[in-house]
Amino acid sequence: MKLYFAIIFIAMNSAFGLGQMAEFDFIEGSTHKWKKSNEGVILSHHFVYRNTGEIPLTINETKVSCSCTQVDFPQKPTPPGALDSILVTFNTEDKFYMQDRQIEIYSNAKDIEKLHIKVFVVPKDE
């Protein structure tokens, strides 16, 4: 009988442990829009987030649609409740008018997180 209860206890404990997740909470939102900018300027923004999950948040990889967008993310896990940031840099060289880029963040959170950056770029010849 004791063995039966021990197995039930281990199974329940394992089930609760598997349900723990890390979670992003972006302090100022997941979209950043810069003011109108001239072509050739390099823009940057820190997306500050808190890990509101129950385990450390680990970012594994990011994906962007073009080489004009660079992402620098923490290499160490962010503990539960702690703040950290993701730096996104956008090079406006050879970019014109409205620009909208999406950054996908792959981590140990439940879902793929998506950030957006937007800017209106004035061409050099205007």
Side-chain angles (χ1 to χ4, degrees):
M1 186 59 118
K2 288 181 184 179
L3 180 60
Y4 174 76
F5 286 116
I7 292 171
I8 296 292
F9 177 76
I10 291 170
M12 294 293 286
N13 194 29
S14 296
F16 289 122
L18 293 174
Q20 294 179 338
M21 301 290 296
E23 190 173 335
F24 286 98
D25 178 24
F26 286 95
I27 305 302
E28 296 179 1
S30 59
T31 299
H32 179 73
K33 185 174 181 181
W34 286 287
K35 294 180 180 180
K36 189 182 292 189
S37 181
N38 293 322
E39 178 191 355
V41 174
I42 296 177
L43 304 168
S44 62
H45 178 71
H46 282 272
F47 285 93
V48 178
Y49 65 89
R50 180 181 311 275
N51 175 7
T52 57
E54 299 173 358
I55 63 171
L57 175 62
T58 303
I59 299 174
N60 305 315
E61 173 185 14
T62 61
K63 290 188 180 178
V64 296
S65 58
C66 82
S67 61
C68 61
T69 306
Q70 300 294 315
V71 181
D72 186 21
F73 57 88
Q75 298 301 307
K76 294 182 179 180
T78 304
L83 292 173
D84 216 329
S85 68
I86 298 169
L87 175 63
V88 176
T89 306
F90 180 69
N91 186 347
T92 62
E93 189 67 38
D94 296 325
K95 303 294 180 259
F96 315 106
Y97 308 113
M98 193 63 206
Q99 300 294 309
D100 184 353
R101 297 288 185 272
Q102 177 174 284
I103 300 102
E104 293 181 348
I105 303 170
Y106 295 85
S107 69
N108 62 334
K110 180 180 177 183
D111 298 316
I112 297 170
E113 195 68 36
K114 294 179 183 173
L115 301 175
H116 291 270
I117 54 171
K118 299 178 182 189
V119 64
F120 186 89
V121 179
V122 179
K124 290 178 184 176
D125 60 352
E126 283 189 15

